[in-house]
């Protein structure tokens, strides 16, 4: 027997979840949101956001998400701490289990669980977790003031992290497996212009070493003559190699693509289950921007409202 029944349950609290909460709140659906493991989502661990329209000056990611949250609260959303651990979409109303203990029945569900940082999969990442390995420069960069660090990846996140760390650390290596950066031109220019960032193209991390904390990384350098082993002395390694969607608990019920992203009807947030919608990065392998996530949260809310009015 469920503990309560709600019209609209939102899982996850990034730009998609909060926007869905704003719209469903204004639509009188009394939305209930479970904020998940990382309330506010990925933006809370980024630095300045320069590309969210309506903010001509850069705004901190955390601050932006606090504004989203306040707006959702003002619109009547019930935002709760808690992690959804199980869903049962076999029949409506759908049953959602929170923290393995509480169950809620929902007429509509908006999935906005986003994506989480990827790791390389090296045993040393586990060995030095909390001892020199991190996937969040804004969270942990402070510990590396005047030290030497390395960032792995060649996308916008890696460049952003490297640029942020260059203000704290004395030296930052950017380890890129290809011979070019995938990041936008603006970000490429930024990292190339910072004196204490050294870009190591065609290098990959094979392991780490150090007594208790990371003291260095073992790399392999790809050259036309073959691979060469290289060691660099570093105090910290930051992973910035992309994200994987948080879809584990939904896979039993919903279709996913080969990398795990939820599949929706093209151009809509509708999943194959009526009344269950997916918004934001969890269903978007292509754009993955705060603004596109917010837009799809709005679409999901409108769909939920229409579904309930049918
Ligand atoms: P991306 O998927 O864009 O880039 C991942 C990077 O990590 C690539 O350079 C990739 O290399 C590398 N990589 C992946 N796996 C490995 C591995 N096993 N070993 C070594 N390197 C690896 O992810 P991001 O997180 O950078 O960006 C995601 C999205 O968010 C993008 O659309 C980006 O534009 C956006 N974004 C925008 C920002 C902004 O506008 N301010 C800030 C941050 C992100 P390869 O190129 O060889 O595949």
């Amino acid at each position: 027997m469920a503990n309560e029944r709600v019209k609209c349950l939102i899982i996850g609290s990034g730009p998609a979840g909060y926007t869905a909460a704003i719209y469903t709140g204004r639509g009188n659906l009394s939305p209930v949101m479970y904020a998940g493991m990382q309330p506010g989502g990925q933006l809370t661990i980024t630095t300045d956001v320069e590309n969210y329209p309506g903010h001509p000056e850069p705004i901190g990611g955390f601050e932006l998400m606090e504004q989203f949250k306040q707006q959702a609260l003002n619109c009547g959303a019930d935002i709760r701490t808690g992690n959804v651990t199980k869903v049962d979409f076999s029949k409506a109303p759908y049953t959602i289990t929170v923290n393995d203990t509480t169950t809620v029945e929902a007429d509509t569900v908006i999935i906005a669980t986003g994506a989480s940082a990827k790791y390389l999969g090296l045993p040393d990442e586990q060995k030095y977790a909390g001892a020199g390995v991190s996937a969040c420069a804004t969270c942990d960069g402070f510990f590396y003031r005047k030290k030497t660090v390395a960032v792995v990846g060649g996308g916008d996140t890696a460049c952003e992290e490297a640029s942020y760390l260059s203000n704290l650390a004395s030296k930052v290596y950017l380890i890129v497996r290809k011979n070019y950066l995938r990041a936008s031109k603006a970000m490429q220019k930024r990292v190339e212009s910072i004196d204490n960032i050294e870009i190591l193209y065609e290098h990959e991390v094979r392991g780490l070493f150090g007594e208790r904390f990371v003291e260095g990384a073992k790399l392999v350098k790809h050259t036309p003559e073959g691979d060469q082993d290289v060691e660099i002395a570093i105090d910290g390694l930051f992973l910035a190699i992309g994200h994987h969607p948080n879809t584990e608990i939904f896979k039993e019920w919903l279709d996913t693509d080969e990398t795990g992203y939820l599949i929706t009807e093209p151009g809509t947030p509708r999943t194959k289950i009526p009344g269950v919608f997916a918004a934001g990065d969890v269903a978007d392998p292509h754009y993955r921007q705060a603004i596109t996530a917010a837009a799809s949260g709005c679409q999901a809310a409108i769909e939920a409202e229409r579904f309930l009015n049918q």
Side-chain angles (χ1 to χ4, degrees), residues 42 46 48-51 118-120 152-160 175-178 180-184 187 203-205 240-243 286-289:
Q42 290 177 61
T46 61
D48 286 346
V49 178
E50 295 174 345
N51 53 8
K118 271 190 202 161
Y119 284 78
L120 294 166
V152 187
D156 280 318
T157 305
C159 292
E160 207 172 54
I175 303 173
V176 183
R177 67 178 172 184
K178 294 211 174 113
Y180 62 88
L181 291 168
R182 185 200 286 211
S184 58
M187 289 306 290
H203 282 69
E204 286 187 74
V205 180
I241 59 168
H243 293 82
H286 302 293
Y287 303 109
R288 298 177 292 184
Q289 301 297 302

Side-chain angles (χ1 to χ4, degrees), residues 51-66:
N51 53 8
Y52 200 84
H55 294 273
E57 298 304 323
I59 177 167
F62 182 81
E63 191 188 344
L64 181 61
M65 282 303 95
E66 283 296 298

Side-chain angles (χ1 to χ4, degrees), residues 19-284:
T19 306
I22 291 166
Y23 273 78
T24 50
R26 294 188 81 242
N28 249 350
L29 302 193
S30 310
V32 169
M33 170 192 281
Y34 282 96
M37 302 276 263
Q38 189 181 38
Q42 290 177 61
L43 267 195
T44 58
I45 57 167
T46 61
T47 47
D48 286 346
V49 178
E50 295 174 345
N51 53 8
Y52 200 84
H55 294 273
E57 298 304 323
I59 177 167
F62 182 81
E63 191 188 344
L64 181 61
M65 282 303 95
E66 283 296 298
Q67 292 182 356
F68 270 63
K69 180 181 175 184
Q70 193 53 54
Q71 196 170 349
L73 288 168
N74 294 348
C75 292
D78 177 352
I79 300 175
R80 304 176 183 177
T81 51
N83 195 31
V84 170
T85 46
K86 193 172 165 218
V87 295
D88 181 349
F89 292 157
S90 58
K91 59 176 190 326
Y94 305 115
T95 305
I96 309 311
T97 306
V98 184
N99 295 338
D100 290 322
T101 48
T102 311
T103 52
V104 181
E105 282 182 347
D107 297 319
T108 61
V109 177
I110 296 176
I111 300 169
T113 46
S116 301
K118 271 190 202 161
Y119 284 78
L120 294 166
L122 301 170
D124 284 344
E125 288 170 320
Q126 306 274 343
K127 184 173 167 192
Y128 295 100
V133 174
S134 169
C136 175
T138 9
C139 318
D140 300 326
F142 184 75
F143 302 115
Y144 298 92
R145 275 169 306 161
K146 306 223 180 327
K147 295 191 171 177
T148 300
V149 296
V151 176
V152 187
D156 280 318
T157 305
C159 292
E160 207 172 54
E161 304 260 276
S163 142
Y164 174 77
L165 288 164
S166 71
N167 291 318
L168 297 163
S170 53
K171 164 122 192 163
V172 180
Y173 291 104
L174 183 57
I175 303 173
V176 183
R177 67 178 172 184
K178 294 211 174 113
N179 62 358
Y180 62 88
L181 291 168
R182 185 200 286 211
S184 58
K185 286 278 175 281
M187 289 306 290
Q188 291 187 21
K189 260 192 172 162
R190 190 186 298 179
V191 289
E192 282 162 4
S193 70
I194 298 174
D195 286 342
N196 64 340
I197 295 181
E198 181 179 341
I199 307 177
L200 300 178
Y201 288 107
E202 297 182 88
H203 282 69
E204 286 187 74
V205 180
R206 288 287 185 257
L208 296 165
F209 55 88
E211 191 80 0
R212 280 181 51 222
F213 296 92
V214 168
E215 291 170 21
K218 295 176 197 161
L219 312 180
V220 60
K221 180 183 178 183
H222 305 300
T223 72
E225 295 76 41
D227 288 351
Q228 286 172 11
D229 292 331
V230 177
E231 280 190 5
I232 53 170
I234 54 168
D235 304 290
L237 183 81
F238 289 82
L239 285 315
I241 59 168
H243 293 82
H244 62 82
N246 297 318
T247 52
E248 257 342 288
I249 57 170
F250 308 111
K251 283 185 174 166
E252 185 182 346
W253 309 101
L254 301 175
D255 295 333
T256 55
D257 71 8
E258 66 285 354
T259 43
Y261 287 89
L262 293 181
I263 294 174
T264 58
E265 256 178 57
T268 81
R270 282 178 230 134
T271 69
K272 70 177 187 187
I273 297 189
V276 176
F277 307 98
D281 285 12
V282 74
D284 174 14

